[in-house]
Amino acid sequence: MRRLLWVMAWIAVAVWSLFAWGAYGLLDFFGGVAARNADIVTGHPESVEWLSWALRC
């Protein structure tokens, strides 16, 4: 029983890690796309710079 509990715990850790890795990848991808296209939102150079910085962090 104890062994089964440890196996289930490690499986849960692996699934959570894969989920977190996938979510990070998606946020990084879409944040990068949004940061590269910040000039579409506004034409003001300081606003574009701030939006680009904020979306990359």
Side-chain angles (χ1 to χ4, degrees):
M1 183 70 174
R2 186 178 225 185
R3 187 177 198 78
L4 178 63
L5 185 61
W6 277 106
V7 169
M8 294 301 288
W10 280 111
I11 289 172
V13 167
V15 168
W16 177 256
S17 296
L18 287 173
F19 172 75
W21 180 61
Y24 174 79
L26 286 174
L27 287 173
D28 186 46
F29 174 74
F30 287 117
V33 169
R36 284 190 298 274
N37 296 315
D39 58 338
I40 293 174
V41 176
T42 181
H44 190 260
E46 289 180 8
S47 298
V48 171
E49 182 181 352
W50 182 84
L51 277 173
S52 180
W53 172 82
L55 292 170
R56 285 195 192 269
C57 291

